[in-house]
Amino acid sequence: SDPEVSYDGKRIVFALRCPATNTSTIEGAPACTGKRNIWEYDMTASSGLEAGAPRRITASTQSDDVDPAYLPAGGGFVFSSNRQTKTKVQINGEDVFAVDEYERERVLNLHTMKADGTAITQISVNQSHDRNPVVKSNGDIMFSRWEHVGPRNRFAIFTSRPDGTNMFVRYGAHSPGNSFLHPREMDPAGQFKGQVASSLMSLSGTREGGQLVLIDIANFSENSM
């Protein structure tokens, strides 16, 4: 799931999950851990899509990694993960993870890592989930943040720098009951400068599906797209 294409168009990063009982191997390593891991399909040394080579980037058997995207200039990847490298705690020698408000699943926060899968660093902290990160033309990361505090319950569009600083809500702070997922920057220098495409959905009864909307983030009044 969650495929994203590299800037040169020759690699695809994606999330892969298959049962740990699957005995398939790639380059001598088990292909399946039972969790969602980040993989890359590399076509730089081949003559086309079918001749590319897959490689595993993360291999956790305890956490799920999803929503990967390329950072600029070979800087590695940003992705969502419930590994919680900064927010988990140890109690009696065991890792204890934060779960969402309904205590259904471990919280997904944003992480970055180098191209070889090392130096995994958590860059966001949220009591709910941070999902769908992408990189804007100015190098900032744009993502969807589930905010659930008291009566507030929605996914809003946020941005931050790749190190997690300068985090700011860009749209959705005053859209009660609405969720904006999979935000994508439109042509930053063309007709749609300052606009973002996103899916608009309610919080229940959908599976990340909804209306396709165009949001004028540079010049908006809330709830007016």
Side-chain angles (χ1 to χ4, degrees):
S1 65
D2 316 321
E4 288 287 343
V5 179
S6 64
Y7 294 93
D8 61 6
K10 296 181 178 180
R11 291 163 292 152
I12 303 171
V13 67
F14 58 96
L16 171 67
R17 177 186 179 273
C18 53
T21 53
N22 188 315
T23 58
S24 300
T25 60
I26 293 180
E27 296 183 347
C32 302
T33 66
K35 294 293 185 178
R36 291 177 174 83
N37 298 149
I38 305 300
W39 287 72
E40 185 181 56
Y41 190 73
D42 191 344
M43 298 169 285
T44 55
S46 69
S47 57
L49 182 64
E50 294 181 358
R55 73 178 180 103
R56 178 198 295 280
I57 302 174
T58 65
S60 176
T61 60
Q62 303 297 320
S63 59
D64 288 300
D65 303 325
V66 296
D67 296 340
Y70 288 92
L71 292 173
F77 303 92
V78 59
F79 62 103
S80 295
S81 177
N82 60 15
R83 61 178 65 220
Q84 298 179 21
T85 53
K86 287 185 178 178
T87 49
K88 68 182 177 183
V89 297
Q90 278 210 336
I91 299 179
N92 296 327
E94 295 185 4
D95 288 335
V96 178
F97 297 87
V99 294
D100 65 28
E101 291 86 339
Y102 304 106
E103 298 186 354
R104 295 177 300 193
E105 58 183 332
R106 279 162 44 179
V107 170
L108 292 158
N109 288 143
L110 299 188
H111 291 67
T112 58
M113 63 181 170
K114 293 182 178 180
D116 61 1
T118 61
I120 294 177
T121 304
Q122 184 176 340
I123 64 168
S124 75
V125 176
N126 186 17
Q127 66 180 11
S128 303
H129 300 295
D130 288 339
R131 295 292 311 273
N132 312 141
V134 291
V135 180
K136 297 182 61 183
S137 56
N138 67 355
D140 286 349
I141 294 170
M142 182 167 60
F143 62 99
S144 296
R145 164 164 281 193
W146 183 14
E147 296 185 294
H148 191 184
V149 179
R152 179 186 302 171
N153 196 3
R154 61 180 175 238
F155 272 95
I157 298 174
F158 276 69
T159 59
S160 79
R161 293 175 179 151
D163 62 1
T165 61
N166 202 35
M167 191 168 292
F168 189 76
V169 58
R170 295 298 174 182
Y171 193 83
H174 302 286
S175 291
N178 289 326
S179 290
F180 299 91
L181 292 169
H182 305 286
R184 292 291 189 276
E185 182 182 36
M186 301 297 287
D187 181 4
Q191 177 183 358
F192 298 103
K193 180 180 179 181
Q195 300 194 37
V196 169
S198 173
S199 61
L200 169 62
M201 56 170 278
S202 63
L203 281 172
S204 61
T206 61
R207 293 184 179 272
E208 296 193 24
Q211 304 176 58
L212 181 62
V213 296
L214 192 62
I215 305 166
D216 188 350
I217 283 185
N219 306 282
F220 73 86
S221 59
E222 193 76 13
N223 276 323
S224 176
M225 293 168 285

